[in-house]
Amino acid sequence: MRVLLDESLPKKLKRELAEHTVATVPEAGWAGKKNGELLRMADAHFDVFVTPDRQIPSQQNLVGLRVGIIILRARSNDISDLLPLVPNLQATILRILPGQVLQVER
């Protein structure tokens, strides 16, 4: 799967998803883009967008998007708080459907 990590997530999270093609928002050249524009760009190039932003479903029009969105629910965006979510994140990446929004927590 082609996975895009939101810029608010630590780059170290990439290492935990080595079986996928993973890029961070800055690596894609999209740092600073607003969520609406970012999602449209991700939709054209990625299968999954991973973010800690719980507000995306209520703040963005997701109709017609094919990119799956995975929302990480952790205490913080620190890698130590995100690592316990990795097994569930990996499983969710494999089962998410195009356009689906799923949450991952411990």
Side-chain angles (χ1 to χ4, degrees):
M1 294 283 251
R2 296 167 300 156
V3 179
L4 180 65
L5 297 180
D6 201 351
E7 65 186 308
S8 60
L9 293 172
K11 187 176 180 178
K12 291 178 182 179
L13 189 58
K14 254 179 93 164
R15 287 186 243 156
E16 304 301 320
L17 304 173
E19 66 276 11
H20 302 286
T21 302
V22 182
T24 65
V25 167
E27 289 171 344
W30 302 336
K33 299 287 184 193
K34 298 287 185 193
N35 280 340
E37 182 180 9
L38 179 61
L39 287 170
R40 286 190 301 279
M41 293 167 79
D43 192 53
H45 300 281
F46 292 90
D47 302 304
V48 179
F49 176 59
V50 180
T51 181
D53 188 347
R54 299 175 189 182
Q55 303 304 317
I56 283 184
S58 63
Q59 292 178 345
Q60 300 299 319
N61 180 1
L62 305 178
V63 175
L65 291 181
R66 294 175 310 277
V67 67
I69 299 171
I70 298 175
I71 299 169
L72 297 180
R73 295 185 60 118
R75 187 172 0 148
S76 77
N77 293 347
D78 189 83
I79 192 68
S80 63
D81 288 328
L82 295 171
L83 286 176
L85 302 181
V86 168
N88 287 342
L89 173 59
Q90 291 170 331
T92 302
I93 289 171
L94 293 176
R95 70 178 170 87
I96 195 166
L97 300 174
Q100 194 173 31
V101 178
L102 298 175
Q103 294 190 30
V104 170
E105 51 196 325
R106 199 166 174 187

mmCIF file of all heavy atoms in Angstrom, residues 20-51:
data_model
loop_
_atom_site.group_PDB
_atom_site.id
_atom_site.type_symbol
_atom_site.label_atom_id
_atom_site.label_comp_id
_atom_site.label_asym_id
_atom_site.label_seq_id
_atom_site.Cartn_x
_atom_site.Cartn_y
_atom_site.Cartn_z
ATOM 1 N N HIS A 20 5.243 -1.351 3.555
ATOM 2 C CA HIS A 20 4.484 -0.481 2.659
ATOM 3 C C HIS A 20 5.404 0.586 2.071
ATOM 4 O O HIS A 20 6.511 0.800 2.549
ATOM 5 C CB HIS A 20 3.343 0.204 3.429
ATOM 6 C CG HIS A 20 2.418 -0.765 4.075
ATOM 7 N ND1 HIS A 20 1.505 -1.512 3.369
ATOM 8 C CD2 HIS A 20 2.265 -1.129 5.372
ATOM 9 C CE1 HIS A 20 0.826 -2.286 4.201
ATOM 10 N NE2 HIS A 20 1.278 -2.088 5.418
ATOM 11 N N THR A 21 4.923 1.260 1.051
ATOM 12 C CA THR A 21 5.623 2.416 0.508
ATOM 13 C C THR A 21 5.106 3.619 1.276
ATOM 14 O O THR A 21 3.944 4.003 1.120
ATOM 15 C CB THR A 21 5.333 2.570 -0.998
ATOM 16 O OG1 THR A 21 5.737 1.367 -1.656
ATOM 17 C CG2 THR A 21 6.078 3.761 -1.577
ATOM 18 N N VAL A 22 5.937 4.193 2.140
ATOM 19 C CA VAL A 22 5.498 5.240 3.060
ATOM 20 C C VAL A 22 6.266 6.526 2.795
ATOM 21 O O VAL A 22 7.482 6.520 2.623
ATOM 22 C CB VAL A 22 5.705 4.807 4.531
ATOM 23 C CG1 VAL A 22 5.194 5.873 5.487
ATOM 24 C CG2 VAL A 22 5.026 3.470 4.804
ATOM 25 N N ALA A 23 5.525 7.636 2.800
ATOM 26 C CA ALA A 23 6.119 8.964 2.692
ATOM 27 C C ALA A 23 5.476 9.858 3.742
ATOM 28 O O ALA A 23 4.326 9.641 4.135
ATOM 29 C CB ALA A 23 5.898 9.550 1.298
ATOM 30 N N THR A 24 6.213 10.833 4.183
ATOM 31 C CA THR A 24 5.645 11.850 5.064
ATOM 32 C C THR A 24 5.158 13.009 4.193
ATOM 33 O O THR A 24 5.588 13.151 3.042
ATOM 34 C CB THR A 24 6.689 12.363 6.070
ATOM 35 O OG1 THR A 24 7.719 13.035 5.349
ATOM 36 C CG2 THR A 24 7.259 11.222 6.911
ATOM 37 N N VAL A 25 4.288 13.832 4.737
ATOM 38 C CA VAL A 25 3.802 14.991 3.990
ATOM 39 C C VAL A 25 4.973 15.866 3.526
ATOM 40 O O VAL A 25 5.027 16.255 2.353
ATOM 41 C CB VAL A 25 2.757 15.778 4.814
ATOM 42 C CG1 VAL A 25 2.474 17.127 4.202
ATOM 43 C CG2 VAL A 25 1.462 14.972 4.929
ATOM 44 N N PRO A 26 5.957 16.179 4.401
ATOM 45 C CA PRO A 26 7.090 16.973 3.913
ATOM 46 C C PRO A 26 7.882 16.289 2.796
ATOM 47 O O PRO A 26 8.317 16.942 1.850
ATOM 48 C CB PRO A 26 7.953 17.181 5.162
ATOM 49 C CG PRO A 26 6.996 17.075 6.301
ATOM 50 C CD PRO A 26 6.012 16.007 5.865
ATOM 51 N N GLU A 27 8.057 14.979 2.890
ATOM 52 C CA GLU A 27 8.777 14.255 1.838
ATOM 53 C C GLU A 27 8.041 14.333 0.501
ATOM 54 O O GLU A 27 8.666 14.332 -0.557
ATOM 55 C CB GLU A 27 8.978 12.793 2.230
ATOM 56 C CG GLU A 27 9.982 12.593 3.331
ATOM 57 C CD GLU A 27 10.019 11.172 3.853
ATOM 58 O OE1 GLU A 27 9.072 10.388 3.600
ATOM 59 O OE2 GLU A 27 10.990 10.851 4.560
ATOM 60 N N ALA A 28 6.724 14.379 0.562
ATOM 61 C CA ALA A 28 5.918 14.500 -0.656
ATOM 62 C C ALA A 28 5.953 15.924 -1.210
ATOM 63 O O ALA A 28 5.444 16.181 -2.296
ATOM 64 C CB ALA A 28 4.477 14.070 -0.371
ATOM 65 N N GLY A 29 6.518 16.857 -0.437
ATOM 66 C CA GLY A 29 6.590 18.250 -0.867
ATOM 67 C C GLY A 29 5.333 19.048 -0.564
ATOM 68 O O GLY A 29 5.112 20.103 -1.145
ATOM 69 N N TRP A 30 4.524 18.555 0.377
ATOM 70 C CA TRP A 30 3.225 19.164 0.664
ATOM 71 C C TRP A 30 3.143 19.783 2.057
ATOM 72 O O TRP A 30 2.049 20.030 2.562
ATOM 73 C CB TRP A 30 2.113 18.140 0.504
ATOM 74 C CG TRP A 30 2.051 17.520 -0.861
ATOM 75 C CD1 TRP A 30 2.513 18.049 -2.029
ATOM 76 C CD2 TRP A 30 1.506 16.253 -1.188
ATOM 77 N NE1 TRP A 30 2.283 17.183 -3.067
ATOM 78 C CE2 TRP A 30 1.660 16.065 -2.586
ATOM 79 C CE3 TRP A 30 0.900 15.234 -0.443
ATOM 80 C CZ2 TRP A 30 1.228 14.932 -3.248
ATOM 81 C CZ3 TRP A 30 0.463 14.107 -1.105
ATOM 82 C CH2 TRP A 30 0.632 13.950 -2.491
ATOM 83 N N ALA A 31 4.270 20.038 2.689
ATOM 84 C CA ALA A 31 4.266 20.622 4.033
ATOM 85 C C ALA A 31 3.500 21.939 4.025
ATOM 86 O O ALA A 31 3.611 22.739 3.088
ATOM 87 C CB ALA A 31 5.692 20.848 4.519
ATOM 88 N N GLY A 32 2.704 22.149 5.045
ATOM 89 C CA GLY A 32 1.963 23.389 5.199
ATOM 90 C C GLY A 32 0.647 23.449 4.448
ATOM 91 O O GLY A 32 -0.092 24.426 4.581
ATOM 92 N N LYS A 33 0.316 22.426 3.670
ATOM 93 C CA LYS A 33 -0.961 22.417 2.956
ATOM 94 C C LYS A 33 -2.112 22.245 3.949
ATOM 95 O O LYS A 33 -2.003 21.518 4.929
ATOM 96 C CB LYS A 33 -1.014 21.276 1.932
ATOM 97 C CG LYS A 33 0.039 21.353 0.854
ATOM 98 C CD LYS A 33 -0.259 22.445 -0.123
ATOM 99 C CE LYS A 33 0.766 22.434 -1.249
ATOM 100 N NZ LYS A 33 0.724 23.621 -2.050
ATOM 101 N N LYS A 34 -3.199 22.905 3.696
ATOM 102 C CA LYS A 34 -4.408 22.754 4.523
ATOM 103 C C LYS A 34 -5.003 21.373 4.261
ATOM 104 O O LYS A 34 -4.809 20.790 3.186
ATOM 105 C CB LYS A 34 -5.437 23.833 4.191
ATOM 106 C CG LYS A 34 -4.946 25.236 4.463
ATOM 107 C CD LYS A 34 -4.891 25.490 5.934
ATOM 108 C CE LYS A 34 -4.513 26.944 6.195
ATOM 109 N NZ LYS A 34 -4.165 27.182 7.551
ATOM 110 N N ASN A 35 -5.773 20.856 5.228
ATOM 111 C CA ASN A 35 -6.283 19.492 5.126
ATOM 112 C C ASN A 35 -7.081 19.215 3.855
ATOM 113 O O ASN A 35 -6.931 18.163 3.255
ATOM 114 C CB ASN A 35 -7.129 19.144 6.352
ATOM 115 C CG ASN A 35 -6.274 18.771 7.539
ATOM 116 O OD1 ASN A 35 -5.117 18.416 7.400
ATOM 117 N ND2 ASN A 35 -6.848 18.859 8.719
ATOM 118 N N GLY A 36 -7.940 20.122 3.441
ATOM 119 C CA GLY A 36 -8.741 19.883 2.244
ATOM 120 C C GLY A 36 -7.883 19.673 1.011
ATOM 121 O O GLY A 36 -8.061 18.701 0.261
ATOM 122 N N GLU A 37 -6.935 20.563 0.786
ATOM 123 C CA GLU A 37 -6.040 20.448 -0.357
ATOM 124 C C GLU A 37 -5.142 19.222 -0.210
ATOM 125 O O GLU A 37 -4.915 18.483 -1.176
ATOM 126 C CB GLU A 37 -5.191 21.712 -0.482
ATOM 127 C CG GLU A 37 -4.264 21.705 -1.673
ATOM 128 C CD GLU A 37 -3.418 22.961 -1.790
ATOM 129 O OE1 GLU A 37 -3.413 23.792 -0.852
ATOM 130 O OE2 GLU A 37 -2.750 23.096 -2.820
ATOM 131 N N LEU A 38 -4.654 18.984 0.988
ATOM 132 C CA LEU A 38 -3.788 17.841 1.247
ATOM 133 C C LEU A 38 -4.512 16.533 0.940
ATOM 134 O O LEU A 38 -3.956 15.641 0.300
ATOM 135 C CB LEU A 38 -3.315 17.865 2.700
ATOM 136 C CG LEU A 38 -2.417 16.718 3.152
ATOM 137 C CD1 LEU A 38 -1.130 16.687 2.340
ATOM 138 C CD2 LEU A 38 -2.116 16.852 4.628
ATOM 139 N N LEU A 39 -5.754 16.420 1.356
ATOM 140 C CA LEU A 39 -6.514 15.193 1.099
ATOM 141 C C LEU A 39 -6.732 14.979 -0.397
ATOM 142 O O LEU A 39 -6.657 13.847 -0.879
ATOM 143 C CB LEU A 39 -7.846 15.219 1.840
ATOM 144 C CG LEU A 39 -7.742 15.020 3.350
ATOM 145 C CD1 LEU A 39 -9.082 15.296 4.008
ATOM 146 C CD2 LEU A 39 -7.258 13.613 3.672
ATOM 147 N N ARG A 40 -7.010 16.031 -1.134
ATOM 148 C CA ARG A 40 -7.198 15.896 -2.590
ATOM 149 C C ARG A 40 -5.892 15.446 -3.259
ATOM 150 O O ARG A 40 -5.902 14.606 -4.161
ATOM 151 C CB ARG A 40 -7.689 17.199 -3.196
ATOM 152 C CG ARG A 40 -9.148 17.493 -2.881
ATOM 153 C CD ARG A 40 -9.698 18.663 -3.673
ATOM 154 N NE ARG A 40 -8.967 19.903 -3.453
ATOM 155 C CZ ARG A 40 -9.141 20.720 -2.423
ATOM 156 N NH1 ARG A 40 -10.047 20.430 -1.497
ATOM 157 N NH2 ARG A 40 -8.435 21.833 -2.308
ATOM 158 N N MET A 41 -4.773 15.998 -2.799
ATOM 159 C CA MET A 41 -3.480 15.604 -3.354
ATOM 160 C C MET A 41 -3.155 14.152 -2.978
ATOM 161 O O MET A 41 -2.706 13.373 -3.826
ATOM 162 C CB MET A 41 -2.399 16.558 -2.874
ATOM 163 C CG MET A 41 -2.581 17.965 -3.428
ATOM 164 S SD MET A 41 -1.567 19.193 -2.598
ATOM 165 C CE MET A 41 0.002 18.895 -3.360
ATOM 166 N N ALA A 42 -3.394 13.798 -1.732
ATOM 167 C CA ALA A 42 -3.145 12.427 -1.279
ATOM 168 C C ALA A 42 -4.012 11.439 -2.053
ATOM 169 O O ALA A 42 -3.568 10.339 -2.394
ATOM 170 C CB ALA A 42 -3.408 12.314 0.221
ATOM 171 N N ASP A 43 -5.239 11.827 -2.346
ATOM 172 C CA ASP A 43 -6.175 10.968 -3.060
ATOM 173 C C ASP A 43 -5.621 10.551 -4.423
ATOM 174 O O ASP A 43 -5.874 9.449 -4.885
ATOM 175 C CB ASP A 43 -7.505 11.706 -3.221
ATOM 176 C CG ASP A 43 -8.614 10.805 -3.694
ATOM 177 O OD1 ASP A 43 -8.843 9.752 -3.061
ATOM 178 O OD2 ASP A 43 -9.262 11.144 -4.706
ATOM 179 N N ALA A 44 -4.859 11.417 -5.045
ATOM 180 C CA ALA A 44 -4.313 11.138 -6.371
ATOM 181 C C ALA A 44 -3.055 10.272 -6.343
ATOM 182 O O ALA A 44 -2.685 9.701 -7.370
ATOM 183 C CB ALA A 44 -4.014 12.455 -7.088
ATOM 184 N N HIS A 45 -2.400 10.162 -5.185
ATOM 185 C CA HIS A 45 -1.096 9.496 -5.142
ATOM 186 C C HIS A 45 -0.950 8.396 -4.094
ATOM 187 O O HIS A 45 0.049 7.668 -4.118
ATOM 188 C CB HIS A 45 0.001 10.535 -4.895
ATOM 189 C CG HIS A 45 0.056 11.587 -5.950
ATOM 190 N ND1 HIS A 45 0.636 11.394 -7.176
ATOM 191 C CD2 HIS A 45 -0.432 12.852 -5.961
ATOM 192 C CE1 HIS A 45 0.519 12.492 -7.898
ATOM 193 N NE2 HIS A 45 -0.125 13.391 -7.184
ATOM 194 N N PHE A 46 -1.881 8.311 -3.146
ATOM 195 C CA PHE A 46 -1.734 7.362 -2.038
ATOM 196 C C PHE A 46 -3.018 6.557 -1.832
ATOM 197 O O PHE A 46 -4.096 6.984 -2.220
ATOM 198 C CB PHE A 46 -1.380 8.107 -0.741
ATOM 199 C CG PHE A 46 -0.001 8.713 -0.776
ATOM 200 C CD1 PHE A 46 0.200 10.009 -1.247
ATOM 201 C CD2 PHE A 46 1.099 7.984 -0.363
ATOM 202 C CE1 PHE A 46 1.471 10.563 -1.304
ATOM 203 C CE2 PHE A 46 2.374 8.528 -0.419
ATOM 204 C CZ PHE A 46 2.559 9.814 -0.888
ATOM 205 N N ASP A 47 -2.854 5.410 -1.184
ATOM 206 C CA ASP A 47 -4.001 4.567 -0.839
ATOM 207 C C ASP A 47 -4.539 4.916 0.542
ATOM 208 O O ASP A 47 -5.737 4.780 0.792
ATOM 209 C CB ASP A 47 -3.588 3.083 -0.843
ATOM 210 C CG ASP A 47 -3.036 2.659 -2.185
ATOM 211 O OD1 ASP A 47 -3.736 2.821 -3.198
ATOM 212 O OD2 ASP A 47 -1.871 2.181 -2.220
ATOM 213 N N VAL A 48 -3.629 5.334 1.445
ATOM 214 C CA VAL A 48 -3.991 5.561 2.845
ATOM 215 C C VAL A 48 -3.306 6.832 3.353
ATOM 216 O O VAL A 48 -2.130 7.071 3.066
ATOM 217 C CB VAL A 48 -3.554 4.371 3.731
ATOM 218 C CG1 VAL A 48 -3.895 4.610 5.192
ATOM 219 C CG2 VAL A 48 -4.189 3.076 3.252
ATOM 220 N N PHE A 49 -4.058 7.617 4.106
ATOM 221 C CA PHE A 49 -3.524 8.791 4.789
ATOM 222 C C PHE A 49 -3.671 8.547 6.286
ATOM 223 O O PHE A 49 -4.768 8.260 6.765
ATOM 224 C CB PHE A 49 -4.304 10.045 4.372
ATOM 225 C CG PHE A 49 -3.889 11.303 5.089
ATOM 226 C CD1 PHE A 49 -2.585 11.769 5.023
ATOM 227 C CD2 PHE A 49 -4.801 12.035 5.824
ATOM 228 C CE1 PHE A 49 -2.197 12.928 5.678
ATOM 229 C CE2 PHE A 49 -4.432 13.199 6.478
ATOM 230 C CZ PHE A 49 -3.132 13.648 6.407
ATOM 231 N N VAL A 50 -2.560 8.625 7.023
ATOM 232 C CA VAL A 50 -2.558 8.388 8.467
ATOM 233 C C VAL A 50 -2.361 9.727 9.174
ATOM 234 O O VAL A 50 -1.415 10.453 8.874
ATOM 235 C CB VAL A 50 -1.440 7.397 8.869
ATOM 236 C CG1 VAL A 50 -1.453 7.155 10.381
ATOM 237 C CG2 VAL A 50 -1.596 6.077 8.122
ATOM 238 N N THR A 51 -3.246 10.020 10.115
ATOM 239 C CA THR A 51 -3.234 11.312 10.794
ATOM 240 C C THR A 51 -3.695 11.165 12.241
ATOM 241 O O THR A 51 -4.469 10.262 12.548
ATOM 242 C CB THR A 51 -4.154 12.319 10.057
ATOM 243 O OG1 THR A 51 -4.118 13.584 10.723
ATOM 244 C CG2 THR A 51 -5.591 11.822 9.992
#
